[in-house]
Amino acid sequence: KGDLIFQAIKQQQTTVVSKQMPTAILDAQTGISALDEALNTLKTTGYMHNHMRMYVASIVCNIAKTDWKVGADWMYSQLLDGDLASNHLSWQWVAGTNSNKKYYANQNNINTYFGTNDRGTFLDKTYEELPEMEIPDVLQARREYSIQTDLNAIKSDEIHTYTNSLIHTYYNIDLEVIKTTTAQHILLLEPKLFRAHPVTNNCLEFVINLAKNIQGIKIFVGEFDNLLTLLGEENIIYKEHPTNQHFKGKKMERDWMTTVKGDFPSFFKFWNKAKKELQYD
């Protein structure tokens, strides 16, 4: 769906009262022990358990009644494995803009799956009570979450001009294709991508360190058109991805799981077709 994932897919989110993040989420002070531990871990390591991501999104969107896009942008910026499609569409699923109903989790659910024994929190409710409750006092305070990815401190390496070159990006660092491709390897960091979808320094450092597994890789900070001028279209090889539709050169296909193509209204409708091609235990 391309950039449509940044808009409500099926219907608008209902009962939105703010486009600012709850301060308790940003500061990891919700009073829910598993949640606060996970939020602190996210800030320091860039990781969060997948179920906890759903719990957080549910609290931000459906309990604190925050615009889903604000929460999705915040979480994406923190995650080392952040993926715009997976992250933003998951937030839409939780908020009910890409699903038939909103997702809720109560305290008993969190206690069960995270081994805690919290009682008396704002989530210590029945599932019938959660959609009807007022915004808890602990989630009332808010502030704007804003971040900019600083590329200024990253020095570009010297690029061999008009040389056969494989372009890696924030989304495509392919450690397999280098085994079959003899080329200059370049990690391209485009400012416009990070202006539109900023990430923390933790995320940026993670990707750069990952790229260094490719021997001799060069870093280039700049837009693709600048690199195109240095290399020439005939010397560029890249792997297709929604974030690099403006690239020119020899386009390689991604490694698709199946040959099934098309626009499906749900994962399960896609899976019912795709699983026919797959062998799994």
Side-chain angles (χ1 to χ4, degrees):
K1 292 187 179 295
D3 287 347
L4 291 177
I5 66 170
F6 305 121
Q7 306 172 26
I9 297 291
K10 292 183 177 178
Q11 59 262 335
Q12 293 300 313
Q13 182 182 358
T14 58
T15 324
V16 176
V17 302
S18 179
K19 291 191 175 184
Q20 292 185 317
M21 285 289 292
T23 302
I25 295 290
L26 297 179
D27 295 342
Q29 295 180 351
T30 67
I32 298 173
S33 58
L35 189 74
D36 291 342
E37 181 181 353
L39 289 167
N40 279 319
T41 299
L42 176 65
K43 280 192 280 190
T44 55
T45 70
Y47 290 101
M48 179 177 277
H49 189 284
N50 189 54
H51 278 169
M52 183 56 72
R53 299 181 196 195
M54 290 170 30
Y55 297 155
V56 171
S58 179
I59 291 169
V60 171
C61 296
N62 302 333
I63 304 297
K65 298 178 173 54
T66 310
D67 187 296
W68 71 266
K69 177 71 162 47
V70 172
D73 288 345
W74 159 75
M75 182 169 281
Y76 169 78
S77 75
Q78 306 283 320
L79 292 169
L80 297 191
D81 64 344
D83 176 89
L84 286 166
S86 176
N87 180 72
H88 282 59
L89 289 174
S90 292
W91 276 75
Q92 290 211 50
W93 182 83
V94 168
T97 62
N98 190 32
S99 57
N100 296 324
K101 60 181 181 179
K102 298 180 179 182
Y103 170 78
Y104 289 91
N106 65 9
Q107 186 63 62
N108 182 62
N109 186 301
I110 296 175
N111 287 343
T112 298
Y113 291 103
F114 281 84
T116 53
N117 193 34
D118 289 2
R119 295 287 184 268
T121 72
F122 64 84
L123 286 183
D124 201 0
K125 309 281 185 182
T126 67
Y127 281 108
E128 290 73 28
E129 292 175 310
L130 287 177
E132 305 300 325
M133 65 186 288
E134 298 294 326
I135 299 175
D137 290 343
V138 70
L139 299 178
Q140 291 282 356
R142 298 175 185 269
R143 70 172 183 264
E144 183 177 354
Y145 175 78
S146 179
I147 185 175
Q148 292 182 339
T149 305
D150 184 12
L151 297 177
N152 294 323
I154 302 173
K155 183 180 178 181
S156 292
D157 296 314
E158 183 177 351
I159 302 299
H160 296 308
T161 59
Y162 295 99
T163 300
N164 194 37
S165 301
L166 180 63
I167 310 303
H168 305 264
T169 70
Y170 187 75
Y171 270 90
N172 279 330
I173 298 176
D174 197 324
L175 303 181
E176 290 299 318
V177 74
I178 65 173
K179 298 176 182 178
T180 57
T181 304
T182 302
Q184 174 179 224
H185 294 278
I186 300 173
L187 173 62
L188 172 62
L189 300 174
E190 288 193 283
K192 70 176 182 180
L193 173 65
F194 295 104
R195 282 195 299 269
H197 308 292
V199 297
T200 65
N201 286 336
N202 280 348
C203 296
L204 196 60
E205 290 173 6
F206 174 76
V207 166
I208 291 173
N209 288 332
L210 181 62
K212 288 179 180 177
N213 284 285
I214 301 174
Q215 186 175 5
I217 193 164
K218 299 175 182 295
I219 296 176
F220 184 84
V221 180
E223 305 302 343
F224 175 79
D225 285 348
N226 303 131
L227 196 58
L228 180 64
T229 300
L230 292 174
L231 296 175
E233 182 176 338
E234 68 279 6
N235 295 309
I236 291 177
I237 309 167
Y238 67 96
K239 183 172 282 191
E240 181 271 334
H241 189 269
T243 58
N244 64 21
Q245 296 300 302
H246 57 295
F247 282 19
K248 297 177 181 178
K250 180 183 177 182
K251 180 170 70 175
M252 302 169 61
E253 279 289 319
R254 277 178 283 169
D255 299 320
W256 296 100
M257 188 167 63
T258 78
T259 61
V260 175
K261 303 292 184 183
D263 188 355
F264 295 87
S266 72
F267 170 78
F268 294 103
K269 289 188 180 296
F270 159 77
W271 183 246
N272 284 336
K273 287 181 177 280
K275 67 182 180 181
K276 297 174 183 177
E277 298 183 13
L278 302 176
Q279 294 183 355
Y280 54 92
D281 296 328

